[in-house]
Amino acid sequence: MFVLGIESSCDDTACAVVGPTGVLSDVVHSQAVHTQYGGVVPEVASRAHAEKIVVTARAALERAGVDQPDAVAATAGPGLIGAVLVGLCFGKGLAAGWGVPFVGVNHLEAHLLSPLLEPEAPAFPFLALVVSGGHTTLYAAKDVGDYAVVAETVDDAAGEAFDKVARLLGLGYPGGPAIEALAKDGDPTKVALPRPRAPRPLDMSFSGLKTAVRAASEGARPADVAASFQEAVCDVLCDRIVRAVEQTGIERVALAGGVAANARLRERVGSLGLRTTIPPRSRCTDNGAMIAAAGRLRLARGEASPFDLTARARWTPGE
Ligand code: KG4
Ligand code: ZN
């Protein structure tokens, strides 16, 4: 079954085709327009999605050599509601026009399941750390649709912390790649930063880290601040992975979401001595392949969506 996947929940317009052999095409148009505002402006994002969605879908179908897919999957949430609506309505329209099934996909579930597209895909059950701009959650994935939250941030997401610290250092948006680039020339031991804790032992907190960076950055080299901050985030995430493995007894670990594109985090998690699956960087940040793949798994279980499915700003995976 060939599935067209459509993603428009934030600032990437992305479409891909996934078939029985894997990903046949994966086209992403990242909205550079937000750079001038220092963050994503929801209404600007919706309009930019509307401008690019048709060419992006057409490119994905052409590159895959598929005229008409067997089904269409689109992100139905969580995300910026206006942005989600663009891809969702477009996807429903295509499916209705072609007379093929439609499935609305949970964006976080798509990140969580994205390691299944890899050659060394984890078998269920596995632990999936989804670290993105809006979410930082460690799930125990028992099956498609069966996820238990093992740990989560109680305030900012890790990606949000990267973006806020980048703004503090006068770097552009998105902050993650900018911090990573600056940190390459920095010494992670130069600026002392806390490893914040949350009330529940496995949960995380990143808002205090941002405040600590502000206090510690005066007089310090920006590269050292960036490297020290990045190391602190990696320390917290690696600590929670190790403890989650101990607590759950699940030894297969997968990383997903935009922050998983970070080279230092990939290196640190890769050297924990666990069986880990870390998708390529382009599959960590928002993409259409993960939406098509999650849609395929849902459809294989007979779970198509009705055409009156609405967009959701908040939506827990598996709910
Ligand atoms: O998954 P994603 O593309 O979109 C959401 O669903 O949120 O994640 C975006 C987040 C942003 O906060 C961005 O700064 C962060 O991922 N990010 C990174 C890197 N690339 C993207 N953070 C650290 N290092 C990176 N290389
Ligand atoms: Zn995402």
PDB file of all heavy atoms in Angstrom, residues 7 9-12 107-108 111 131-135 158-163 173-180 230 256-263 281 284-286 290, ligand 1:
ATOM      1  N   GLU A   7       2.356  16.748   6.290  1.00  0.00           N
ATOM      2  CA  GLU A   7       2.656  17.349   7.598  1.00  0.00           C
ATOM      3  C   GLU A   7       2.626  18.876   7.485  1.00  0.00           C
ATOM      4  O   GLU A   7       3.264  19.449   6.603  1.00  0.00           O
ATOM      5  CB  GLU A   7       4.041  16.868   8.051  1.00  0.00           C
ATOM      6  CG  GLU A   7       4.773  17.764   9.031  1.00  0.00           C
ATOM      7  CD  GLU A   7       4.050  17.958  10.355  1.00  0.00           C
ATOM      8  OE1 GLU A   7       3.297  17.053  10.766  1.00  0.00           O
ATOM      9  OE2 GLU A   7       4.223  19.027  10.962  1.00  0.00           O
ATOM     10  N   SER A   9       2.014  20.868  10.805  1.00  0.00           N
ATOM     11  CA  SER A   9       1.610  21.279  12.160  1.00  0.00           C
ATOM     12  C   SER A   9       2.344  22.487  12.709  1.00  0.00           C
ATOM     13  O   SER A   9       1.874  23.124  13.635  1.00  0.00           O
ATOM     14  CB  SER A   9       1.762  20.111  13.132  1.00  0.00           C
ATOM     15  OG  SER A   9       3.124  19.806  13.298  1.00  0.00           O
ATOM     16  N   CYS A  10       3.530  22.798  12.136  1.00  0.00           N
ATOM     17  CA  CYS A  10       4.278  23.938  12.656  1.00  0.00           C
ATOM     18  C   CYS A  10       4.831  24.771  11.501  1.00  0.00           C
ATOM     19  O   CYS A  10       4.061  25.401  10.778  1.00  0.00           O
ATOM     20  CB  CYS A  10       5.367  23.442  13.609  1.00  0.00           C
ATOM     21  SG  CYS A  10       6.162  24.760  14.539  1.00  0.00           S
ATOM     22  N   ASP A  11       6.147  24.748  11.297  1.00  0.00           N
ATOM     23  CA  ASP A  11       6.728  25.614  10.263  1.00  0.00           C
ATOM     24  C   ASP A  11       7.372  24.855   9.110  1.00  0.00           C
ATOM     25  O   ASP A  11       8.143  25.423   8.356  1.00  0.00           O
ATOM     26  CB  ASP A  11       7.736  26.592  10.886  1.00  0.00           C
ATOM     27  CG  ASP A  11       8.849  25.880  11.631  1.00  0.00           C
ATOM     28  OD1 ASP A  11       8.730  24.664  11.869  1.00  0.00           O
ATOM     29  OD2 ASP A  11       9.835  26.537  11.979  1.00  0.00           O
ATOM     30  N   ASP A  12       7.057  23.559   8.982  1.00  0.00           N
ATOM     31  CA  ASP A  12       7.534  22.791   7.834  1.00  0.00           C
ATOM     32  C   ASP A  12       6.334  22.272   7.053  1.00  0.00           C
ATOM     33  O   ASP A  12       5.459  21.634   7.623  1.00  0.00           O
ATOM     34  CB  ASP A  12       8.376  21.585   8.284  1.00  0.00           C
ATOM     35  CG  ASP A  12       9.695  22.008   8.919  1.00  0.00           C
ATOM     36  OD1 ASP A  12      10.459  22.721   8.255  1.00  0.00           O
ATOM     37  OD2 ASP A  12       9.944  21.626  10.074  1.00  0.00           O
ATOM     38  N   HIS A 107       0.770  13.816  15.397  1.00  0.00           N
ATOM     39  CA  HIS A 107       2.145  14.209  15.064  1.00  0.00           C
ATOM     40  C   HIS A 107       3.182  13.600  16.023  1.00  0.00           C
ATOM     41  O   HIS A 107       4.253  13.158  15.596  1.00  0.00           O
ATOM     42  CB  HIS A 107       2.210  15.748  15.105  1.00  0.00           C
ATOM     43  CG  HIS A 107       3.542  16.320  14.816  1.00  0.00           C
ATOM     44  ND1 HIS A 107       3.958  16.645  13.538  1.00  0.00           N
ATOM     45  CD2 HIS A 107       4.574  16.641  15.628  1.00  0.00           C
ATOM     46  CE1 HIS A 107       5.181  17.138  13.593  1.00  0.00           C
ATOM     47  NE2 HIS A 107       5.588  17.158  14.848  1.00  0.00           N
ATOM     48  N   LEU A 108       2.838  13.553  17.313  1.00  0.00           N
ATOM     49  CA  LEU A 108       3.776  12.994  18.301  1.00  0.00           C
ATOM     50  C   LEU A 108       3.906  11.484  18.136  1.00  0.00           C
ATOM     51  O   LEU A 108       4.997  10.929  18.265  1.00  0.00           O
ATOM     52  CB  LEU A 108       3.297  13.307  19.718  1.00  0.00           C
ATOM     53  CG  LEU A 108       3.396  14.763  20.127  1.00  0.00           C
ATOM     54  CD1 LEU A 108       2.724  14.971  21.467  1.00  0.00           C
ATOM     55  CD2 LEU A 108       4.848  15.201  20.182  1.00  0.00           C
ATOM     56  N   HIS A 111       6.294  10.929  15.325  1.00  0.00           N
ATOM     57  CA  HIS A 111       7.697  11.033  15.769  1.00  0.00           C
ATOM     58  C   HIS A 111       8.098   9.752  16.503  1.00  0.00           C
ATOM     59  O   HIS A 111       9.148   9.173  16.242  1.00  0.00           O
ATOM     60  CB  HIS A 111       7.860  12.207  16.740  1.00  0.00           C
ATOM     61  CG  HIS A 111       8.136  13.534  16.088  1.00  0.00           C
ATOM     62  ND1 HIS A 111       9.187  13.731  15.219  1.00  0.00           N
ATOM     63  CD2 HIS A 111       7.516  14.734  16.195  1.00  0.00           C
ATOM     64  CE1 HIS A 111       9.198  15.007  14.824  1.00  0.00           C
ATOM     65  NE2 HIS A 111       8.184  15.629  15.392  1.00  0.00           N
ATOM     66  N   VAL A 131      11.871  14.287  21.640  1.00  0.00           N
ATOM     67  CA  VAL A 131      12.363  15.600  22.069  1.00  0.00           C
ATOM     68  C   VAL A 131      12.184  16.579  20.921  1.00  0.00           C
ATOM     69  O   VAL A 131      12.921  16.549  19.939  1.00  0.00           O
ATOM     70  CB  VAL A 131      13.852  15.582  22.479  1.00  0.00           C
ATOM     71  CG1 VAL A 131      14.022  15.465  23.963  1.00  0.00           C
ATOM     72  CG2 VAL A 131      14.640  14.505  21.749  1.00  0.00           C
ATOM     73  N   SER A 132      11.181  17.452  21.048  1.00  0.00           N
ATOM     74  CA  SER A 132      10.917  18.379  19.947  1.00  0.00           C
ATOM     75  C   SER A 132      10.778  19.798  20.487  1.00  0.00           C
ATOM     76  O   SER A 132      11.143  20.089  21.620  1.00  0.00           O
ATOM     77  CB  SER A 132       9.649  17.947  19.204  1.00  0.00           C
ATOM     78  OG  SER A 132       8.523  18.170  20.016  1.00  0.00           O
ATOM     79  N   GLY A 133      10.236  20.685  19.653  1.00  0.00           N
ATOM     80  CA  GLY A 133      10.093  22.075  20.063  1.00  0.00           C
ATOM     81  C   GLY A 133       8.975  22.267  21.075  1.00  0.00           C
ATOM     82  O   GLY A 133       9.010  23.187  21.895  1.00  0.00           O
ATOM     83  N   GLY A 134       7.979  21.392  21.042  1.00  0.00           N
ATOM     84  CA  GLY A 134       6.825  21.554  21.926  1.00  0.00           C
ATOM     85  C   GLY A 134       6.700  20.468  22.981  1.00  0.00           C
ATOM     86  O   GLY A 134       5.941  20.607  23.930  1.00  0.00           O
ATOM     87  N   HIS A 135       7.430  19.366  22.824  1.00  0.00           N
ATOM     88  CA  HIS A 135       7.267  18.223  23.717  1.00  0.00           C
ATOM     89  C   HIS A 135       8.594  17.567  24.063  1.00  0.00           C
ATOM     90  O   HIS A 135       9.494  17.523  23.223  1.00  0.00           O
ATOM     91  CB  HIS A 135       6.353  17.173  23.064  1.00  0.00           C
ATOM     92  CG  HIS A 135       4.991  17.686  22.765  1.00  0.00           C
ATOM     93  ND1 HIS A 135       4.713  18.394  21.611  1.00  0.00           N
ATOM     94  CD2 HIS A 135       3.838  17.642  23.474  1.00  0.00           C
ATOM     95  CE1 HIS A 135       3.439  18.748  21.629  1.00  0.00           C
ATOM     96  NE2 HIS A 135       2.888  18.306  22.745  1.00  0.00           N
ATOM     97  N   ALA A 158      12.676  20.525  25.604  1.00  0.00           N
ATOM     98  CA  ALA A 158      14.114  20.694  25.387  1.00  0.00           C
ATOM     99  C   ALA A 158      14.377  21.602  24.180  1.00  0.00           C
ATOM    100  O   ALA A 158      15.253  22.472  24.221  1.00  0.00           O
ATOM    101  CB  ALA A 158      14.769  19.332  25.197  1.00  0.00           C
ATOM    102  N   GLY A 159      13.592  21.417  23.109  1.00  0.00           N
ATOM    103  CA  GLY A 159      13.785  22.249  21.912  1.00  0.00           C
ATOM    104  C   GLY A 159      13.471  23.718  22.191  1.00  0.00           C
ATOM    105  O   GLY A 159      14.156  24.616  21.688  1.00  0.00           O
ATOM    106  N   GLU A 160      12.455  23.925  23.022  1.00  0.00           N
ATOM    107  CA  GLU A 160      12.075  25.279  23.425  1.00  0.00           C
ATOM    108  C   GLU A 160      13.241  25.924  24.183  1.00  0.00           C
ATOM    109  O   GLU A 160      13.534  27.113  23.994  1.00  0.00           O
ATOM    110  CB  GLU A 160      10.858  25.141  24.338  1.00  0.00           C
ATOM    111  CG  GLU A 160      10.002  26.342  24.518  1.00  0.00           C
ATOM    112  CD  GLU A 160       8.790  25.979  25.389  1.00  0.00           C
ATOM    113  OE1 GLU A 160       8.513  24.775  25.624  1.00  0.00           O
ATOM    114  OE2 GLU A 160       8.123  26.919  25.839  1.00  0.00           O
ATOM    115  N   ALA A 161      13.895  25.144  25.046  1.00  0.00           N
ATOM    116  CA  ALA A 161      15.049  25.656  25.797  1.00  0.00           C
ATOM    117  C   ALA A 161      16.177  26.023  24.832  1.00  0.00           C
ATOM    118  O   ALA A 161      16.811  27.073  24.977  1.00  0.00           O
ATOM    119  CB  ALA A 161      15.516  24.606  26.809  1.00  0.00           C
ATOM    120  N   PHE A 162      16.428  25.181  23.831  1.00  0.00           N
ATOM    121  CA  PHE A 162      17.441  25.503  22.804  1.00  0.00           C
ATOM    122  C   PHE A 162      17.084  26.823  22.131  1.00  0.00           C
ATOM    123  O   PHE A 162      17.936  27.688  21.930  1.00  0.00           O
ATOM    124  CB  PHE A 162      17.520  24.387  21.755  1.00  0.00           C
ATOM    125  CG  PHE A 162      18.564  23.336  22.054  1.00  0.00           C
ATOM    126  CD1 PHE A 162      18.218  22.169  22.714  1.00  0.00           C
ATOM    127  CD2 PHE A 162      19.887  23.513  21.662  1.00  0.00           C
ATOM    128  CE1 PHE A 162      19.181  21.189  22.996  1.00  0.00           C
ATOM    129  CE2 PHE A 162      20.850  22.548  21.933  1.00  0.00           C
ATOM    130  CZ  PHE A 162      20.492  21.379  22.602  1.00  0.00           C
ATOM    131  N   ASP A 163      15.797  26.978  21.774  1.00  0.00           N
ATOM    132  CA  ASP A 163      15.370  28.191  21.060  1.00  0.00           C
ATOM    133  C   ASP A 163      15.503  29.431  21.951  1.00  0.00           C
ATOM    134  O   ASP A 163      15.934  30.489  21.485  1.00  0.00           O
ATOM    135  CB  ASP A 163      13.929  28.031  20.559  1.00  0.00           C
ATOM    136  CG  ASP A 163      13.811  26.937  19.500  1.00  0.00           C
ATOM    137  OD1 ASP A 163      14.804  26.678  18.794  1.00  0.00           O
ATOM    138  OD2 ASP A 163      12.731  26.326  19.387  1.00  0.00           O
ATOM    139  N   TYR A 173      16.577  32.019  14.744  1.00  0.00           N
ATOM    140  CA  TYR A 173      15.608  30.933  14.912  1.00  0.00           C
ATOM    141  C   TYR A 173      15.692  30.025  13.685  1.00  0.00           C
ATOM    142  O   TYR A 173      15.824  30.556  12.582  1.00  0.00           O
ATOM    143  CB  TYR A 173      14.192  31.500  15.060  1.00  0.00           C
ATOM    144  CG  TYR A 173      13.159  30.411  15.158  1.00  0.00           C
ATOM    145  CD1 TYR A 173      12.853  29.848  16.383  1.00  0.00           C
ATOM    146  CD2 TYR A 173      12.568  29.898  14.009  1.00  0.00           C
ATOM    147  CE1 TYR A 173      11.949  28.817  16.471  1.00  0.00           C
ATOM    148  CE2 TYR A 173      11.666  28.855  14.096  1.00  0.00           C
ATOM    149  CZ  TYR A 173      11.360  28.327  15.327  1.00  0.00           C
ATOM    150  OH  TYR A 173      10.486  27.284  15.419  1.00  0.00           O
ATOM    151  N   PRO A 174      15.595  28.712  13.780  1.00  0.00           N
ATOM    152  CA  PRO A 174      15.464  27.938  15.015  1.00  0.00           C
ATOM    153  C   PRO A 174      16.792  27.837  15.763  1.00  0.00           C
ATOM    154  O   PRO A 174      17.860  27.784  15.163  1.00  0.00           O
ATOM    155  CB  PRO A 174      15.006  26.572  14.514  1.00  0.00           C
ATOM    156  CG  PRO A 174      15.519  26.463  13.122  1.00  0.00           C
ATOM    157  CD  PRO A 174      15.548  27.865  12.582  1.00  0.00           C
ATOM    158  N   GLY A 175      16.703  27.787  17.084  1.00  0.00           N
ATOM    159  CA  GLY A 175      17.883  27.889  17.917  1.00  0.00           C
ATOM    160  C   GLY A 175      18.739  26.636  17.985  1.00  0.00           C
ATOM    161  O   GLY A 175      19.955  26.739  18.160  1.00  0.00           O
ATOM    162  N   GLY A 176      18.115  25.454  17.865  1.00  0.00           N
ATOM    163  CA  GLY A 176      18.860  24.206  18.028  1.00  0.00           C
ATOM    164  C   GLY A 176      20.092  24.109  17.138  1.00  0.00           C
ATOM    165  O   GLY A 176      21.212  23.966  17.638  1.00  0.00           O
ATOM    166  N   PRO A 177      19.905  24.209  15.819  1.00  0.00           N
ATOM    167  CA  PRO A 177      21.068  24.098  14.930  1.00  0.00           C
ATOM    168  C   PRO A 177      22.099  25.204  15.187  1.00  0.00           C
ATOM    169  O   PRO A 177      23.307  24.953  15.096  1.00  0.00           O
ATOM    170  CB  PRO A 177      20.461  24.235  13.521  1.00  0.00           C
ATOM    171  CG  PRO A 177      19.029  23.853  13.690  1.00  0.00           C
ATOM    172  CD  PRO A 177      18.647  24.271  15.072  1.00  0.00           C
ATOM    173  N   ALA A 178      21.647  26.406  15.552  1.00  0.00           N
ATOM    174  CA  ALA A 178      22.569  27.522  15.804  1.00  0.00           C
ATOM    175  C   ALA A 178      23.416  27.251  17.049  1.00  0.00           C
ATOM    176  O   ALA A 178      24.631  27.486  17.055  1.00  0.00           O
ATOM    177  CB  ALA A 178      21.779  28.823  15.966  1.00  0.00           C
ATOM    178  N   ILE A 179      22.791  26.739  18.109  1.00  0.00           N
ATOM    179  CA  ILE A 179      23.540  26.400  19.336  1.00  0.00           C
ATOM    180  C   ILE A 179      24.531  25.283  19.037  1.00  0.00           C
ATOM    181  O   ILE A 179      25.685  25.321  19.455  1.00  0.00           O
ATOM    182  CB  ILE A 179      22.572  25.934  20.456  1.00  0.00           C
ATOM    183  CG1 ILE A 179      21.629  27.070  20.835  1.00  0.00           C
ATOM    184  CG2 ILE A 179      23.341  25.372  21.647  1.00  0.00           C
ATOM    185  CD1 ILE A 179      21.823  27.688  22.173  1.00  0.00           C
ATOM    186  N   GLU A 180      24.056  24.276  18.292  1.00  0.00           N
ATOM    187  CA  GLU A 180      24.941  23.151  17.978  1.00  0.00           C
ATOM    188  C   GLU A 180      26.192  23.631  17.234  1.00  0.00           C
ATOM    189  O   GLU A 180      27.309  23.217  17.550  1.00  0.00           O
ATOM    190  CB  GLU A 180      24.198  22.110  17.123  1.00  0.00           C
ATOM    191  CG  GLU A 180      25.086  20.928  16.783  1.00  0.00           C
ATOM    192  CD  GLU A 180      24.413  19.859  15.931  1.00  0.00           C
ATOM    193  OE1 GLU A 180      23.166  19.772  15.926  1.00  0.00           O
ATOM    194  OE2 GLU A 180      25.159  19.120  15.280  1.00  0.00           O
ATOM    195  N   GLN A 230      24.320  22.841  26.029  1.00  0.00           N
ATOM    196  CA  GLN A 230      24.042  21.617  25.264  1.00  0.00           C
ATOM    197  C   GLN A 230      24.396  20.373  26.083  1.00  0.00           C
ATOM    198  O   GLN A 230      23.654  19.385  26.094  1.00  0.00           O
ATOM    199  CB  GLN A 230      24.857  21.658  23.970  1.00  0.00           C
ATOM    200  CG  GLN A 230      24.647  20.482  23.048  1.00  0.00           C
ATOM    201  CD  GLN A 230      25.392  20.676  21.736  1.00  0.00           C
ATOM    202  OE1 GLN A 230      24.842  21.089  20.737  1.00  0.00           O
ATOM    203  NE2 GLN A 230      26.678  20.377  21.744  1.00  0.00           N
ATOM    204  N   ALA A 256      13.701  10.426  18.889  1.00  0.00           N
ATOM    205  CA  ALA A 256      12.909  11.035  17.822  1.00  0.00           C
ATOM    206  C   ALA A 256      12.645  12.500  18.136  1.00  0.00           C
ATOM    207  O   ALA A 256      12.827  12.939  19.280  1.00  0.00           O
ATOM    208  CB  ALA A 256      11.582  10.283  17.674  1.00  0.00           C
ATOM    209  N   GLY A 257      12.236  13.264  17.125  1.00  0.00           N
ATOM    210  CA  GLY A 257      11.930  14.684  17.299  1.00  0.00           C
ATOM    211  C   GLY A 257      13.123  15.561  16.947  1.00  0.00           C
ATOM    212  O   GLY A 257      14.269  15.090  16.892  1.00  0.00           O
ATOM    213  N   GLY A 258      12.852  16.846  16.723  1.00  0.00           N
ATOM    214  CA  GLY A 258      13.860  17.773  16.213  1.00  0.00           C
ATOM    215  C   GLY A 258      15.164  17.821  16.989  1.00  0.00           C
ATOM    216  O   GLY A 258      16.244  17.884  16.390  1.00  0.00           O
ATOM    217  N   VAL A 259      15.088  17.759  18.317  1.00  0.00           N
ATOM    218  CA  VAL A 259      16.322  17.848  19.120  1.00  0.00           C
ATOM    219  C   VAL A 259      17.189  16.600  18.918  1.00  0.00           C
ATOM    220  O   VAL A 259      18.411  16.644  19.103  1.00  0.00           O
ATOM    221  CB  VAL A 259      15.985  18.078  20.615  1.00  0.00           C
ATOM    222  CG1 VAL A 259      17.252  18.206  21.454  1.00  0.00           C
ATOM    223  CG2 VAL A 259      15.131  19.331  20.785  1.00  0.00           C
ATOM    224  N   ALA A 260      16.571  15.496  18.485  1.00  0.00           N
ATOM    225  CA  ALA A 260      17.331  14.274  18.210  1.00  0.00           C
ATOM    226  C   ALA A 260      18.242  14.451  16.988  1.00  0.00           C
ATOM    227  O   ALA A 260      19.077  13.596  16.707  1.00  0.00           O
ATOM    228  CB  ALA A 260      16.388  13.095  18.003  1.00  0.00           C
ATOM    229  N   ALA A 261      18.096  15.568  16.283  1.00  0.00           N
ATOM    230  CA  ALA A 261      19.019  15.865  15.178  1.00  0.00           C
ATOM    231  C   ALA A 261      20.359  16.380  15.711  1.00  0.00           C
ATOM    232  O   ALA A 261      21.334  16.473  14.978  1.00  0.00           O
ATOM    233  CB  ALA A 261      18.399  16.915  14.244  1.00  0.00           C
ATOM    234  N   ASN A 262      20.402  16.705  17.008  1.00  0.00           N
ATOM    235  CA  ASN A 262      21.612  17.270  17.610  1.00  0.00           C
ATOM    236  C   ASN A 262      22.746  16.236  17.667  1.00  0.00           C
ATOM    237  O   ASN A 262      22.601  15.170  18.280  1.00  0.00           O
ATOM    238  CB  ASN A 262      21.282  17.770  19.026  1.00  0.00           C
ATOM    239  CG  ASN A 262      22.459  18.454  19.688  1.00  0.00           C
ATOM    240  OD1 ASN A 262      23.305  17.808  20.286  1.00  0.00           O
ATOM    241  ND2 ASN A 262      22.516  19.762  19.549  1.00  0.00           N
ATOM    242  N   ALA A 263      23.881  16.579  17.072  1.00  0.00           N
ATOM    243  CA  ALA A 263      24.993  15.630  16.942  1.00  0.00           C
ATOM    244  C   ALA A 263      25.524  15.181  18.303  1.00  0.00           C
ATOM    245  O   ALA A 263      25.844  14.007  18.496  1.00  0.00           O
ATOM    246  CB  ALA A 263      26.113  16.249  16.115  1.00  0.00           C
ATOM    247  N   ARG A 281      19.150  12.589  10.637  1.00  0.00           N
ATOM    248  CA  ARG A 281      18.718  13.914  11.113  1.00  0.00           C
ATOM    249  C   ARG A 281      17.448  14.411  10.424  1.00  0.00           C
ATOM    250  O   ARG A 281      16.571  14.991  11.059  1.00  0.00           O
ATOM    251  CB  ARG A 281      19.846  14.926  10.902  1.00  0.00           C
ATOM    252  CG  ARG A 281      21.080  14.581  11.711  1.00  0.00           C
ATOM    253  CD  ARG A 281      22.253  15.460  11.327  1.00  0.00           C
ATOM    254  NE  ARG A 281      22.084  16.802  11.849  1.00  0.00           N
ATOM    255  CZ  ARG A 281      22.960  17.416  12.638  1.00  0.00           C
ATOM    256  NH1 ARG A 281      24.063  16.813  12.996  1.00  0.00           N
ATOM    257  NH2 ARG A 281      22.744  18.631  13.052  1.00  0.00           N
ATOM    258  N   CYS A 284      14.387  13.205  11.993  1.00  0.00           N
ATOM    259  CA  CYS A 284      14.127  13.630  13.370  1.00  0.00           C
ATOM    260  C   CYS A 284      13.292  14.904  13.354  1.00  0.00           C
ATOM    261  O   CYS A 284      12.294  15.013  14.060  1.00  0.00           O
ATOM    262  CB  CYS A 284      15.445  13.878  14.101  1.00  0.00           C
ATOM    263  SG  CYS A 284      16.376  12.367  14.391  1.00  0.00           S
ATOM    264  N   THR A 285      13.700  15.866  12.524  1.00  0.00           N
ATOM    265  CA  THR A 285      12.906  17.087  12.394  1.00  0.00           C
ATOM    266  C   THR A 285      11.638  16.731  11.607  1.00  0.00           C
ATOM    267  O   THR A 285      11.531  15.651  11.030  1.00  0.00           O
ATOM    268  CB  THR A 285      13.716  18.177  11.659  1.00  0.00           C
ATOM    269  OG1 THR A 285      14.319  17.600  10.506  1.00  0.00           O
ATOM    270  CG2 THR A 285      14.825  18.731  12.548  1.00  0.00           C
ATOM    271  N   ASP A 286      10.673  17.658  11.597  1.00  0.00           N
ATOM    272  CA  ASP A 286       9.370  17.352  11.009  1.00  0.00           C
ATOM    273  C   ASP A 286       9.484  16.929   9.540  1.00  0.00           C
ATOM    274  O   ASP A 286      10.198  17.552   8.759  1.00  0.00           O
ATOM    275  CB  ASP A 286       8.445  18.571  11.142  1.00  0.00           C
ATOM    276  CG  ASP A 286       8.023  18.780  12.580  1.00  0.00           C
ATOM    277  OD1 ASP A 286       8.213  17.852  13.395  1.00  0.00           O
ATOM    278  OD2 ASP A 286       7.494  19.863  12.895  1.00  0.00           O
ATOM    279  N   MET A 290       7.295  10.297   8.233  1.00  0.00           N
ATOM    280  CA  MET A 290       6.819   9.736   9.508  1.00  0.00           C
ATOM    281  C   MET A 290       5.287   9.753   9.576  1.00  0.00           C
ATOM    282  O   MET A 290       4.684   8.874  10.205  1.00  0.00           O
ATOM    283  CB  MET A 290       7.428  10.488  10.699  1.00  0.00           C
ATOM    284  CG  MET A 290       6.969  11.917  10.855  1.00  0.00           C
ATOM    285  SD  MET A 290       7.732  12.671  12.325  1.00  0.00           S
ATOM    286  CE  MET A 290       6.761  14.195  12.439  1.00  0.00           C
TER     287      MET A 290
HETATM  288  O1  KG4 B   1      10.239  17.989  15.796  1.00  0.00           O
HETATM  289  P1  KG4 B   1      10.477  19.402  15.359  1.00  0.00           P
HETATM  290  O2  KG4 B   1      11.082  19.617  14.006  1.00  0.00           O
HETATM  291  O3  KG4 B   1       9.152  20.234  15.434  1.00  0.00           O
HETATM  292  C1  KG4 B   1       8.260  20.059  16.497  1.00  0.00           C
HETATM  293  O4  KG4 B   1       7.423  19.124  16.411  1.00  0.00           O
HETATM  294  O5  KG4 B   1       8.412  20.823  17.483  1.00  0.00           O
HETATM  295  O6  KG4 B   1      11.417  20.079  16.479  1.00  0.00           O
HETATM  296  C2  KG4 B   1      11.803  21.410  16.393  1.00  0.00           C
HETATM  297  C3  KG4 B   1      12.741  21.717  17.546  1.00  0.00           C
HETATM  298  C4  KG4 B   1      13.131  23.199  17.638  1.00  0.00           C
HETATM  299  O7  KG4 B   1      12.999  23.619  18.971  1.00  0.00           O
HETATM  300  C5  KG4 B   1      14.598  23.191  17.206  1.00  0.00           C
HETATM  301  O8  KG4 B   1      15.366  24.226  17.811  1.00  0.00           O
HETATM  302  C6  KG4 B   1      15.060  21.826  17.661  1.00  0.00           C
HETATM  303  O9  KG4 B   1      13.961  20.981  17.399  1.00  0.00           O
HETATM  304  N1  KG4 B   1      16.227  21.377  16.892  1.00  0.00           N
HETATM  305  C7  KG4 B   1      17.436  21.127  17.460  1.00  0.00           C
HETATM  306  C8  KG4 B   1      18.295  20.805  16.381  1.00  0.00           C
HETATM  307  N2  KG4 B   1      17.584  20.843  15.219  1.00  0.00           N
HETATM  308  C9  KG4 B   1      16.311  21.176  15.561  1.00  0.00           C
HETATM  309  N3  KG4 B   1      17.843  21.202  18.733  1.00  0.00           N
HETATM  310  C10 KG4 B   1      19.140  20.925  18.978  1.00  0.00           C
HETATM  311  N4  KG4 B   1      20.048  20.629  18.007  1.00  0.00           N
HETATM  312  C11 KG4 B   1      19.668  20.555  16.707  1.00  0.00           C
HETATM  313  N5  KG4 B   1      20.547  20.246  15.763  1.00  0.00           N
END
